[in-house]
Amino acid sequence: MSTADPFALLRATATVQRLDDELTVHPGDLQRERTYLVHRAALADRAVPALAEVEDPMISERDAEGTARRLLEHDRAHGTGRGPVPAADARWDINARGYARQEHAAAVLDEHAREDARA
């Protein structure tokens, strides 16, 4: 998803809203919660430059860091990371957004593989 493409941000926002709605219907579903956290962290990370035009950049930076940290903590607690570098790796302690980017990339690859399998 490109930050230069406002439609990509809009689509990502719609995806996050749909996933949030699904969590409301299926509370406690750890897989759905993780999917939401991955997409929410990716959206927050990519929205930082766009939001800098309309709000204090520190607000969106804190949101991106906070949502990435929630994903990292979730994966550490449940062992649910999908990327090549595990959540337990100490490098993520100072780079939670990097972890979120890794996990979003892995999620996108998984989604494409599922789509290819259906075709």
Side-chain angles (χ1 to χ4, degrees):
M1 171 177 39
S2 167
T3 57
D5 179 3
F7 294 110
L9 288 174
L10 188 60
R11 285 188 300 273
T13 301
T15 297
V16 167
Q17 183 61 54
R18 178 184 53 77
L19 292 168
D20 185 55
D21 291 346
E22 288 178 9
L23 273 177
T24 301
V25 175
H26 303 281
D29 183 327
L30 292 178
Q31 182 176 353
R32 287 179 200 272
E33 181 178 352
R34 183 178 191 280
T35 300
Y36 167 79
L37 290 171
V38 167
H39 287 277
R40 174 68 175 82
L43 174 61
D45 184 54
R46 288 173 172 85
V48 168
L51 292 174
E53 298 175 16
V54 296
E55 69 182 17
D56 179 352
M58 289 308 298
I59 294 170
S60 53
E61 289 282 347
R62 278 193 304 266
D63 181 50
E65 180 65 27
T67 55
R69 185 123 336 256
R70 282 178 53 207
L71 171 63
L72 179 59
E73 290 168 0
H74 180 277
D75 283 354
R76 283 179 171 170
H78 302 289
T80 50
R82 305 276 297 143
V85 180
D89 194 291
R91 77 183 74 187
W92 304 128
D93 292 341
I94 58 170
N95 188 12
R97 286 172 70 182
Y99 180 75
R101 290 179 191 125
Q102 169 189 272
E103 294 304 305
H104 184 255
V108 168
L109 289 174
D110 287 348
E111 289 168 10
H112 288 301
R114 283 192 301 273
E115 288 171 7
D116 290 346
R118 282 185 239 145

